[in-house]
């Protein structure tokens, strides 16, 4: 594989050369701990407003406003993954100039996108919430939370793209350190604004935005101060045509794939809203607990993308296959352990968010359906991450659309009216996971037979 521009002394790369299972776990744990602290400061909002403001505020933090914010962030992170895949492949092949172009184009896209979304989101927040049939007793708090979120979206985008870039080159530790700092900062500000200044849900939202601003600044400084080939220069932030095309080629399908998950969740949330505030509050509390499972699974998915991207860029196709196989086994073990934990400790965990017995009872019913099916999603997350690492995102997006978005939407529109219960709504998740997992298993087994014969790799 010919290199366009190579550094005079390339540092040893453990991802392309080390013992796979050991390097995978070394890379995974900082990502997992980072997402743990990220989820912890999100959960702190829910716990503090739920305990000290009320269940209506708890429902507002985790209900419609949360689904809308997840939709926006998910799409951006998906599009940004185009940059991280390209950077991982270029870094594995030690191509400096195209890597630099991808880096600075990603940052330009981040800034431009945040400006557009801030303006639209702030103005249209009440409209979005009405579309989702948000209960009237939640509407004002939800609008307040969502508008403050949109005002700080630039910091969210910068942190997400910057931390993804660091992870794509094998650095999963610094994003962890920054999140630890910002987690405790957010909790402190939550307590200050909500308990001392009595700012309610606005205080929790402002605390989160300020914390995210600090994390964004730390990420930018890390990229500017590195001596490696992925150094950020503020004056070079602009759109490079070829890099933008490559980013969008991979990123748009990945972004749409994320949107499909979010759209199906919004449809689910709309159905849940019709069941009342107690159900929405229970779903919110469960969602905060459930997010700790997703942080582990997504960390393994990021690890799979990085390992596959760098090794694919370096032309080490056998190592690509071994990395994915090992990652599947480890992630399955983690999923089973977490399922057992949630089923055992679920009732106690719900008490962290609320003492309302009706909310807790509904939450237990949700947990009983969801937790046993966690292992099914492992195949979707790891194979999707691996395919993204080689630049294959079109087919995975289509499979996700059919297996998750369309299926869940039909489920809600056809089955829920016949049986409008929380059990009917919740069951749509494990069934859709099972269908989509089968599709990904079949596609990956066919795809890996052709490694080295296709042209998906940007580094090829």
């Amino acid at each position: 594989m010919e290199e366009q521009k190579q550094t005079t002394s390339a540092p040893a790369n453990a991802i392309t050369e080390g013992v796979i299972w050991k390097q995978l776990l070394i890379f995974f744990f900082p990502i997992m701990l980072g997402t743990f602290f990220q989820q912890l400061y999100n959960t702190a909002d829910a716990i503090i407003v739920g305990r000290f403001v009320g269940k209506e505020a708890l429902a507002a933090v985790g209900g419609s406003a949360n689904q809308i914010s997840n939709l926006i962030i998910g799409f951006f992170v998906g599009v940004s993954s185009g940059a991280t895949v390209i950077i991982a492949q270029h870094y594995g092949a030690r191509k400096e100039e195209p890597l630099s172009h991808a880096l600075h184009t990603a940052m330009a896209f981040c800034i431009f996108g945040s400006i557009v979304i801030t303006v639209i989101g702030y103005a249209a927040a009440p409209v979005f919430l009405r579309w989702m049939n948000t209960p009237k007793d939640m509407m004002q708090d939800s609008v307040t939370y969502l508008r403050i979120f949109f005002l700080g979206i630039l910091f969210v985008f910068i942190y997400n793209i910057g931390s993804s870039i660091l992870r794509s080159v094998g650095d999963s530790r610094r994003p962890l350190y920054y999140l630890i700092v910002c987690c405790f900062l957010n909790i402190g500000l939550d307590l200050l604004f909500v308990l001392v200044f009595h700012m309610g849900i606005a205080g929790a939202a402002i605390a989160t935005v300020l914390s995210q601003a600090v994390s964004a600044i730390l990420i930018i400084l890390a990229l500017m101060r590195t001596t490696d080939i992925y150094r950020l220069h503020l004056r070079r932030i602009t759109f490079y045509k070829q890099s933008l095309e490559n980013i969008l080629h991979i990123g748009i399908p990945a972004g749409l794939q994320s949107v499909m998950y979010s759209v199906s969740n919004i449809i689910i949330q709309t159905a849940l809203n019709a069941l009342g505030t107690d159900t929405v509050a229970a779903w919110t509390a469960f969602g905060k607990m459930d997010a700790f499972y997703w942080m582990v699974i997504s960390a393994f998915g990021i690890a799979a993308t990085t390992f596959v991207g760098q090794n694919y860029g370096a032309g080490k196709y056998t190592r690509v296959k071994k990395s994915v196989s090992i990652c599947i086994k480890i992630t399955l073990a983690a999923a089973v352990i977490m399922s057992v934990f949630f089923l055992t400790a679920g009732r106690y965990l719900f008490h962290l968010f609320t003492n309302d017995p009706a909310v807790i009872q509904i939450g237990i019913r949700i947990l009983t359906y969801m937790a046993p099916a966690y292992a099914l999603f492992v195949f979707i997350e790891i194979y999707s991450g691996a395919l993204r690492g080689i630049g294959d995102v079109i087919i995975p997006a289509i499979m996700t659309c059919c297996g998750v978005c369309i299926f869940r939407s039909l489920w809600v529109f056809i089955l829920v009216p016949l049986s409008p219960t929380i059990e009917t709504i919740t069951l749509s998740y494990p069934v859709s996971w099972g269908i989509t997992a089968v599709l990904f298993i079949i596609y990956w087994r066919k795809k890996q037979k052709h490694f080295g014969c296709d042209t998906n790799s940007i580094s090829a």
Side-chain angles (χ1 to χ4, degrees):
M1 186 176 296
E2 185 180 357
E3 299 183 359
Q4 296 177 4
K5 185 175 182 179
Q6 184 172 353
T7 55
T8 55
S9 59
N13 189 342
I15 289 179
T16 58
E17 299 171 11
V19 178
I20 294 175
W21 70 266
K22 184 183 298 184
Q23 297 304 325
L24 185 67
L25 291 178
I26 290 174
F27 185 73
F28 158 78
F29 277 111
I31 300 175
M32 190 271 291
L33 289 174
T35 50
F36 168 79
F37 281 101
Q38 187 171 32
Q39 182 57 38
L40 181 61
Y41 78 61
N42 290 334
T43 303
D45 289 345
I47 291 176
I48 291 171
V49 300
R51 300 285 293 189
F52 299 107
V53 182
K55 65 182 181 182
E56 290 81 9
L58 171 62
V61 168
S64 301
N66 184 61
Q67 296 298 339
I68 293 170
S69 63
N70 285 343
L71 171 65
I72 300 298
I73 295 174
F75 177 72
F76 176 79
V77 171
V79 174
S80 300
S81 71
T84 57
V85 167
I86 294 169
I87 290 171
Q89 292 188 357
H90 288 325
Y91 192 79
R94 303 303 296 174
K95 294 181 177 180
E96 182 174 352
E97 184 176 351
L99 187 154
S100 178
H101 287 177
L103 168 66
H104 291 93
T105 298
M107 281 297 173
F109 181 82
C110 171
I111 295 169
F112 175 78
S114 66
I115 294 172
V116 173
I117 290 174
T118 296
V119 174
I120 296 175
Y122 187 90
V127 177
F128 296 153
L129 292 167
R130 283 196 294 271
W131 285 350
M132 294 182 65
N133 295 326
T134 302
K136 291 182 179 180
D137 59 351
M138 293 167 46
M139 178 61 76
Q140 187 56 52
D141 280 345
S142 297
V143 171
T144 298
Y145 190 86
L146 198 56
R147 280 181 163 168
I148 294 173
F149 161 78
F150 279 121
L151 289 175
I153 197 72
L154 173 63
F155 305 126
V156 179
F157 283 4
I158 288 177
Y159 173 77
N160 277 284
I161 187 62
S163 60
S164 295
I165 289 169
L166 289 176
R167 290 169 185 147
S168 72
V169 299
D171 182 359
S172 58
R173 293 185 180 182
R174 281 186 288 180
L176 167 62
Y177 301 151
Y178 305 151
L179 269 176
I180 292 174
V181 171
C182 296
C183 173
F184 289 109
L185 175 62
N186 182 73
I187 293 174
L189 292 174
D190 267 336
L191 294 172
L192 177 66
F193 293 156
V194 176
L195 270 66
V196 178
F197 295 155
H198 304 290
M199 296 173 63
I201 198 167
I206 292 171
T208 300
V209 168
L210 292 177
S211 301
Q212 290 167 338
V214 172
S215 65
I217 292 170
L218 292 173
I219 282 288
I220 290 294
L221 291 175
L223 291 172
M224 290 176 63
R225 291 175 178 176
T226 184
T227 57
D228 209 337
I229 62 176
Y230 58 90
R231 186 171 185 174
L232 175 68
H233 301 271
L234 296 182
R235 293 183 178 180
R236 297 183 188 175
I237 294 179
T238 188
F239 289 104
Y240 293 89
K241 184 176 182 295
Q242 187 60 53
S243 292
L244 181 61
E245 290 177 356
N246 290 337
I247 289 172
L248 296 180
H249 172 73
I250 297 175
I252 290 296
L256 291 176
Q257 182 175 339
S258 177
V259 166
M260 292 166 198
Y261 283 114
S262 296
V263 167
S264 67
N265 289 336
I266 287 175
I267 293 172
I268 294 290
Q269 185 67 55
T270 303
L272 286 165
N273 288 343
L275 299 182
T277 299
D278 284 351
T279 300
V280 176
W283 187 264
T284 297
F286 165 74
K288 297 302 180 183
M289 294 161 45
D290 183 58
F292 286 97
Y293 164 76
W294 296 109
M295 79 179 185
V296 174
I297 299 302
S298 64
F300 277 118
I302 293 169
T305 298
T306 301
F307 268 70
V308 169
Q310 289 201 26
N311 284 288
Y312 196 78
K316 298 184 177 182
Y317 306 118
T318 299
R319 189 174 175 85
V320 169
K321 299 175 185 178
K322 289 182 179 179
S323 297
V324 175
S325 177
I326 292 171
C327 196
I328 284 284
K329 294 174 183 176
I330 296 175
T331 313
L332 278 173
V336 171
I337 291 172
M338 296 196 72
S339 294
V340 173
F341 172 74
F342 280 130
L343 290 172
T344 304
R347 182 172 296 274
Y348 305 102
L349 295 174
F350 276 109
H351 276 285
L352 292 173
F353 299 92
T354 180
N355 289 323
D356 189 305
V359 174
I360 294 174
Q361 186 58 40
I362 295 171
I364 294 297
R365 288 155 59 190
I366 295 170
L367 186 64
T368 302
Y369 277 81
M370 295 285 275
Y374 279 157
L376 293 174
F377 198 82
V378 169
F379 300 97
I380 303 172
E381 182 68 28
I382 302 305
Y383 287 143
S384 179
L387 290 163
R388 190 177 303 118
I390 65 174
D392 185 353
V393 289
I394 301 295
I395 301 300
I398 293 174
M399 291 190 297
T400 300
C401 178
C402 295
V404 174
C405 186
I406 295 178
F407 179 85
R408 282 188 200 163
S409 298
L410 292 174
W411 183 286
V412 170
F413 294 139
I414 296 175
L415 296 183
V416 172
L418 299 176
S419 178
T421 65
I422 189 61
E423 287 82 4
T424 304
I425 294 173
T426 305
L427 191 59
S428 66
Y429 282 85
V431 175
S432 65
W433 291 343
I435 293 172
T436 311
V438 171
L439 296 176
F440 271 96
I441 291 170
I442 294 172
Y443 185 69
W444 173 257
R445 289 185 176 180
K446 291 182 178 180
K447 187 69 179 180
Q448 66 178 344
K449 296 178 181 179
H450 303 289
F451 284 171
C453 302
D454 56 36
T455 58
N456 281 331
S457 174
I458 303 298
S459 300

